[in-house]
Amino acid sequence: MKAERYSLSLSVVALISAACTTQNETPEQIYSLHYDRPATFFEESLPLGNGQLGALVYGGIADEHISLNDITLWTGEPDLTPWTPDAWKHLAKVRELLDKEDYAAAEEANKKLEGHNSEIYQALGTLHLTNLNVGEVSDYERKLVLNDALAETSYTSAAGTLTRNAFVSAPDSVMVVKLTTTDEKGLQYRVALSTLLPHSYNVAGNALWTEGYAAYSTKPEAGKDEWFHYDENRGIHFRTELRVVAPEGCVNADSDTTLMISGCQEAMLVLTNVTSFNGPYKDPVKEGRDYRKAVAQRLDKAVAKSYEELLSVHQEDFKALFGRMTIDLGTTPDSIAALPTDQ
């Protein structure tokens, strides 16, 4: 459901609204989180997502990395075996111990009600954007415009002003990153993908992709060295693919694992990921979703559109949910609103 994709608790919205910048020059009240330096830690990054594909934007200068995740990338396989069919027989004992306030014994007795450890989520990977033409910078800003679910990073160097805008679209099921520069020599960017999961890389034309798979089983009780169990013929598989839309001649393979963007003043990166997860009761390899075909279909449709078209559809979809209500917490003085959010 759309509401689930973008839902925030009332308390979080209230806190964000109190800390946000108010721009009164437009009829719509604009809420944003804005900072004067790149994020260093996970908690400082700016989140984007559409309910399936998630991204954390750090706003780096020479080296930008955007952490990626997919809601269906979990360890494990369908497991229909009843591990504790007689669990109900021990429930009375647990209740008896709780009534006696013997919580330590109740906790131990409760283990007879539990099954084995559940499977776990695994991180998808990282998009790396390396700016090869940057020195000292000024006028740095990164922000998340909450009204549009749009992350923006900009700064000025001797070469000119560079901006990066990013959003994750629900209607098109892709992440879009737009790079622009005022430098007459154009952009100088190296683009790469990485993941900690077993994988392979491929580069062809203006496309870069990685394919891999999650662990088919996890056993935390076995110790760190035997925690994850991998087999290329088991577990949930995935494909992450990125395509660069730019003037002809601006995108080339820099190596077997990276793309180079050079000479153009504007480029659009379109990325998506699909896994073989096909429901909780289907084997993700033998009965899995055709994730390669789904990736191709998504990207073929998305790159046929302009950045403006993709952004407009994303904004219309998001605003229909974000704009359903407003909270008036009063007026923030301009001197306070101009400060970075963390100050």
Side-chain angles (χ1 to χ4, degrees):
M1 295 175 62
K2 287 186 176 181
E4 293 176 343
R5 291 202 305 262
Y6 301 116
S7 62
L8 290 172
S9 70
L10 185 61
S11 59
V12 172
V13 172
L15 288 172
I16 290 176
S17 299
C20 289
T21 302
T22 302
Q23 300 176 0
N24 296 318
E25 60 269 22
T26 61
E28 179 186 16
Q29 188 175 31
I30 305 300
Y31 300 106
S32 70
L33 306 176
H34 61 111
Y35 305 89
D36 59 3
R37 59 181 177 81
T40 301
F41 305 104
F42 168 90
E43 294 83 0
E44 298 174 335
S45 61
L46 300 177
L48 301 171
N50 61 7
Q52 180 259 320
L53 179 66
L56 293 174
V57 181
Y58 284 73
I61 298 174
D63 296 297
E64 166 69 301
H65 62 281
I66 300 176
S67 300
L68 305 171
N69 60 41
D70 187 298
I71 196 171
T72 62
L73 189 61
W74 283 69
T75 65
E77 298 170 308
D79 184 359
L80 304 180
T81 303
W83 285 80
T84 52
D86 297 326
W88 62 274
K89 296 179 180 179
H90 306 283
L91 181 58
K93 183 63 175 179
V94 174
R95 290 173 171 170
E96 177 186 338
L97 292 169
L98 288 173
D99 287 340
K100 294 179 180 179
E101 299 185 1
D102 190 348
Y103 300 118
E107 183 175 357
E108 188 64 27
N110 191 63
K111 293 180 180 179
K112 295 180 180 180
L113 303 179
E114 301 172 354
H116 61 78
N117 288 301
S118 64
E119 296 300 334
I120 63 174
Y121 165 81
Q122 290 195 288
L124 176 60
T126 304
L127 170 62
H128 302 270
L129 304 174
T130 303
N131 187 353
L132 303 177
N133 185 27
V134 62
E136 292 190 12
V137 303
S138 60
D139 301 323
Y140 176 91
E141 183 180 38
R142 68 179 175 101
K143 63 181 177 180
L144 176 62
V145 182
L146 299 175
N147 305 61
D148 297 319
L150 177 68
E152 302 176 357
T153 303
S154 64
Y155 54 84
T156 301
S157 69
T161 299
L162 185 139
T163 61
R164 288 191 304 265
N165 293 345
F167 60 91
V168 179
S169 169
D172 288 291
S173 298
V174 295
M175 179 176 75
V176 180
V177 180
K178 183 180 181 181
L179 308 175
T180 60
T181 183
T182 61
D183 185 357
E184 294 182 356
K185 296 180 180 179
L187 298 164
Q188 298 291 329
Y189 261 95
R190 180 176 292 120
V191 182
L193 292 169
S194 69
T195 178
L196 296 177
L197 301 176
H199 65 278
S200 63
Y201 290 119
N202 285 281
V203 175
N206 67 335
L208 165 68
W209 66 92
T210 182
E211 292 192 0
Y213 49 93
Y216 70 86
S217 176
T218 57
K219 298 186 183 302
E221 68 278 4
K224 185 176 181 180
D225 293 338
E226 299 181 17
W227 195 328
F228 297 98
H229 298 264
Y230 294 96
D231 184 331
E232 64 180 343
N233 297 312
R234 301 177 67 177
I236 293 177
H237 285 54
F238 68 89
R239 180 184 176 103
T240 307
E241 183 172 340
L242 176 144
R243 296 186 194 176
V244 180
V245 180
E248 186 175 355
C250 291
V251 184
N252 298 282
D254 187 47
S255 69
D256 293 338
T257 60
T258 59
L259 289 173
M260 176 67 73
I261 303 173
S262 61
C264 53
Q265 291 187 300
E266 182 177 302
M268 179 175 70
L269 284 60
V270 183
L271 177 148
T272 195
N273 181 81
V274 180
T275 75
S276 64
F277 178 76
N278 198 24
Y281 305 117
K282 293 185 178 181
D283 185 290
V285 173
K286 299 175 182 178
E287 306 170 283
R289 181 181 186 183
D290 189 344
Y291 56 98
R292 296 186 179 96
K293 180 179 179 180
V295 164
Q297 290 176 336
R298 288 183 185 181
L299 290 178
D300 288 346
K301 292 179 181 180
V303 299
K305 302 177 182 180
S306 67
Y307 173 82
E308 288 72 23
E309 289 173 322
L310 290 167
L311 178 60
S312 177
V313 171
H314 160 70
Q315 289 175 322
E316 181 180 0
D317 176 71
F318 181 77
K319 286 177 180 291
L321 299 170
F322 185 86
R324 289 177 301 175
M325 62 170 292
T326 60
I327 300 176
D328 186 356
L329 299 178
T331 303
T332 302
D334 292 341
S335 61
I336 300 299
L339 294 173
T341 301
D342 56 350
Q343 296 181 23

